[in-house]
Amino acid sequence: MAGLHSNVRPTTSSSSSSSSSTQSFTSRLLLLLTILSLILASFAFILQWRGGLNDPITRWSPQHNEFPGMDVSGAEPSQSSRSSDCVDLLGQSRSTAFPYFRDWKFGYGSDLKPKICITTSTSAGLEQTLPWIFYHKVIGVSTFFLFVEGKAASANVSKVLETIPGVKVIYRTRELEEQQAKSRIWNETWLASFFYKPCNYELFVKQSLNMEMAIVMARDAGMEWIIHLDTDELLHPAGTREYSLRQLLSDVPGNVDMVVFPNYESSVERDDIKEPFSEVSMFKKNYDHLPKEVYFGNYKEATRGNPNYFLTYGNGKSAARVQDHLRPNGAHRWHNYMKTPNEIKLDEAAVLHYTYPKFSDLTSRRDRCGCKPTKEDVKRCFMLEFDRVAFIIASTATEEEMLHWYREHIVWTDKELNLKLSRKGILTHIYAPMVIIQGLRESGVFSSIVTSAMQKSLSKDNFLKSIESSNSSGTITTGVLSSRKMGNRGDSQATARKVLEIQEEVSHTLAIPPLSPPGLHDFHVDA
């Protein structure tokens, strides 16, 4: 037994030594891993503190002003951004910034290609115009030519618009009227059928004359593309990787002169909309973006008893390449004096038309026209049937009756029908504009612009004096220019008519008015 025990002890001692060695190795390994983890964590913290890491968790947080597809990691941070890092970390305070270009500042670069401008004729206030401008800045528009009247030309509104980089404000002055009265448009036939008529016809002529001037301004500014858009419309560059109008137009073949954006029409689901761009997400698709059988197969349900599939126009808007001899062809298209433009229509991108999104739009449209509320007289004022009906209702009905009519003909309250048409692809929800504009508003862009404009303006007394002086000298007017008055500038109506008669034999493409979408009768489809 003694011998047996003497043989066993060395074995036990060896096993104990091996176990101790293993435990010691494991402890050292754990210590090494712990130290390595701490070193890596410290290194990552230092890099992130210095701005070297782009944390994917915080990248899309509300405090991080960057939209998808707008990577600015390669840009050199400006001195002002370095100095404000601590302020951002401690107090979340930000200076006036715009979330699109380098470091989210208003730094317009000459390297942005292609250069795109938008022209519009508007009387809207800041609550509509500011979101409209900055949304289009986000998707790549650099320059805006705003022909302003009414509220848009008032001192407070125009002063803010003038401070926005890339925005050119053009007032309806006596000089502008005289210059437009000499336009060659008056001596040609393509727009002649719209002359000397009130309301929408008058606006259509005015838009065309403004577009003609905008072409010259766009060429002088080095623009490559020009788009005419109303301030109740937003471009929707669907189909592009970065939701970018610049990317969309840069991919257009060089032999294409004009790009047509089919329009989608807003389908409001409530009667208390205050800010359409931020509250409306449901739209009715254009005929051009639907299978023919789906469009006509659901035509009656989609129309809901209204005169047409869309409440107003259905022939979209267009972008034109800035080139020699370019001219407007009405508010919806462009043309060329020397050739027929090569035109393409986009398969995915669209223009979102916010049509009668607010109940107050009924009365505001009524107040802009002086026609009598009769079926015959409204034909002189409005080109589309729904506008005529809406004008008569707004002019003759009580407030309660108007609201009932509005809910029945404009508001989409039938959820089952909405779901059915959504499944068919006729109705669609588009959230990108809503998200972008809400983000701009929450980041303080709009309020910062207004505050900055007030700080840069003259003292109150000097500012008022300058406005009074401008008004007295005729450099700023807010009245509505009549196309009939313009025809009288320089030449009499009789002379203008004589010239038109002489040139009637010359072949011109007539201006394209706002057109309704195809109806059942257009394709002889049985109801």
Side-chain angles (χ1 to χ4, degrees):
M1 292 293 294
L4 180 61
H5 284 296
S6 63
N7 291 334
V8 170
R9 283 194 188 103
T11 303
T12 304
S13 175
S14 175
S15 175
S16 175
S17 175
S18 174
S19 174
S20 175
S21 175
T22 302
Q23 291 177 356
S24 176
F25 175 77
T26 302
S27 299
R28 290 174 182 173
L29 181 61
L30 289 174
L31 179 62
L32 180 62
L33 290 174
T34 301
I35 294 173
L36 182 61
S37 299
L38 289 173
I39 291 173
L40 290 175
S42 301
F43 182 66
F45 176 77
I46 292 171
L47 282 179
Q48 188 166 356
W49 179 266
R50 297 180 60 187
L53 280 181
N54 188 6
D55 186 358
I57 302 299
T58 61
R59 184 179 183 185
W60 309 117
S61 69
Q63 287 74 31
H64 191 84
N65 293 332
E66 185 173 324
F67 292 114
M70 298 177 186
D71 186 10
V72 294
S73 58
E76 181 67 23
S78 64
Q79 185 64 34
S80 60
S81 68
R82 295 191 188 100
S83 63
S84 63
D85 285 346
C86 292
V87 179
D88 279 349
L89 287 171
L90 298 176
Q92 296 296 318
S93 174
R94 301 185 188 278
S95 59
T96 302
F98 172 65
Y100 182 65
F101 295 110
R102 293 181 177 85
D103 205 29
W104 304 100
K105 304 295 179 184
F106 288 100
Y108 291 87
S110 59
D111 58 333
L112 293 177
K113 295 287 184 179
K115 293 185 176 181
I116 307 167
C117 67
I118 288 179
T119 180
T120 190
S121 303
T122 183
S123 59
L126 291 177
E127 73 284 349
Q128 180 174 330
T129 309
L130 286 182
W132 180 84
I133 290 173
F134 284 101
Y135 167 81
H136 287 107
K137 284 181 178 288
V138 168
I139 64 174
V141 178
S142 62
T143 304
F144 299 80
F145 302 118
L146 307 184
F147 291 82
V148 297
E149 295 183 34
K151 187 187 294 185
S154 65
N156 291 335
V157 174
S158 61
K159 201 64 182 178
V160 174
L161 296 176
E162 288 176 347
T163 65
I164 303 174
V167 172
K168 172 66 175 177
V169 181
I170 304 99
Y171 299 94
R172 184 145 296 284
T173 64
R174 185 175 295 109
E175 180 184 2
L176 178 67
E177 293 183 15
E178 292 173 350
Q179 186 176 352
Q180 290 188 339
K182 300 174 183 177
S183 168
R184 64 181 293 179
I185 286 177
W186 295 103
N187 296 326
E188 295 174 357
T189 58
W190 57 271
L191 195 63
S193 61
F194 298 90
F195 293 163
Y196 316 119
K197 295 180 181 179
C199 205
N200 275 17
Y201 291 90
E202 181 179 318
L203 174 62
F204 194 74
V205 172
K206 191 184 303 180
Q207 288 175 325
S208 299
L209 291 164
N210 291 343
M211 291 166 69
E212 183 184 49
M213 297 191 72
I215 291 171
V216 177
M217 299 166 69
R219 187 173 61 239
D220 292 344
M223 295 293 110
E224 296 169 68
W225 289 92
I226 184 169
I227 304 167
H228 176 261
L229 214 61
D230 295 327
T231 50
D232 62 352
E233 298 169 329
L234 299 178
L235 289 169
H236 173 54
T240 57
R241 182 173 59 87
E242 297 183 351
Y243 200 73
S244 166
L245 182 65
R246 286 195 297 111
Q247 181 185 342
L248 188 150
L249 293 179
S250 66
D251 292 339
V252 174
N255 66 332
V256 172
D257 303 303
M258 186 168 66
V259 175
V260 176
F261 293 79
N263 63 294
Y264 291 6
E265 190 173 77
S266 63
S267 302
V268 297
E269 300 174 83
R270 308 193 325 265
D271 60 16
D272 59 347
I273 300 294
K274 302 300 181 185
E275 297 175 349
F277 294 154
S278 299
E279 298 179 59
V280 178
S281 65
M282 190 166 76
F283 295 87
K284 190 188 292 186
K285 282 188 177 181
N286 194 286
Y287 166 80
D288 290 319
H289 284 182
L290 289 170
K292 186 176 179 180
E293 61 274 11
V294 171
Y295 179 85
F296 288 111
N298 299 273
Y299 185 88
K300 286 191 174 181
E301 287 183 295
T303 303
R304 300 193 310 150
N306 290 319
N308 206 280
Y309 174 81
F310 276 164
L311 300 182
T312 57
Y313 78 88
N315 53 328
K317 290 293 180 73
S318 59
R321 211 181 283 275
V322 178
Q323 54 187 295
D324 292 341
H325 312 296
L326 180 67
R327 72 160 172 86
N329 199 34
H332 295 258
R333 294 291 188 274
W334 306 86
H335 208 270
N336 194 293
Y337 282 112
M338 302 302 293
K339 66 176 182 178
T340 300
N342 183 18
E343 170 188 316
I344 64 170
K345 189 172 290 185
L346 298 172
D347 294 329
E348 295 182 77
V351 55
L352 307 179
H353 185 202
Y354 293 76
T355 314
Y356 291 95
K358 298 185 293 184
F359 175 62
S360 61
D361 289 337
L362 280 180
T363 53
S364 64
R365 289 172 184 249
R366 174 200 67 192
D367 297 339
R368 291 200 297 265
C369 290
C371 290
K372 297 176 183 178
T374 63
K375 290 184 178 180
E376 288 303 317
D377 203 52
V378 293
K379 292 179 181 179
R380 296 189 308 112
C381 293
F382 302 98
M383 304 179 198
L384 299 172
E385 184 60 30
F386 186 86
D387 288 330
R388 298 168 182 171
V389 175
F391 179 82
I392 293 175
I393 291 294
S395 302
T396 60
T398 64
E399 187 84 6
E400 184 178 347
E401 289 171 339
M402 276 195 293
L403 184 58
H404 176 76
W405 185 88
Y406 182 81
R407 289 170 176 166
E408 185 177 351
H409 291 270
I410 297 177
V411 184
W412 290 71
T413 55
D414 189 338
K415 296 188 180 300
E416 290 186 7
L417 177 62
N418 297 353
L419 181 59
K420 176 183 177 180
L421 295 180
S422 295
R423 287 172 174 170
K424 295 284 186 178
I426 292 175
L427 293 178
T428 184
H429 282 274
I430 299 174
Y431 296 102
M434 175 187 292
V435 170
I436 291 173
I437 290 174
Q438 285 179 343
L440 289 169
R441 180 175 286 110
E442 291 171 4
S443 66
V445 170
F446 305 147
S447 58
S448 295
I449 287 296
V450 174
T451 302
S452 176
M454 297 308 163
Q455 291 174 346
K456 293 177 181 178
S457 67
L458 303 172
S459 66
K460 184 176 181 180
D461 291 340
N462 290 337
F463 178 67
L464 292 176
K465 287 179 181 178
S466 68
I467 295 299
E468 291 171 358
S469 174
S470 297
N471 283 334
S472 63
S473 64
T475 55
I476 297 180
T477 60
T478 59
V480 176
L481 174 66
S482 169
S483 62
R484 290 165 289 181
K485 293 178 182 178
M486 292 182 64
N488 288 331
R489 299 279 186 179
D491 296 308
S492 66
Q493 288 188 22
T495 304
R497 281 299 180 195
K498 185 176 181 181
V499 174
L500 291 175
E501 290 171 3
I502 293 174
Q503 296 196 359
E504 279 180 356
E505 296 180 0
V506 181
S507 177
H508 290 292
T509 299
L510 298 180
I512 298 177
L515 299 175
S516 296
L520 295 177
H521 60 280
D522 295 321
F523 288 85
H524 306 288
V525 178
D526 294 332

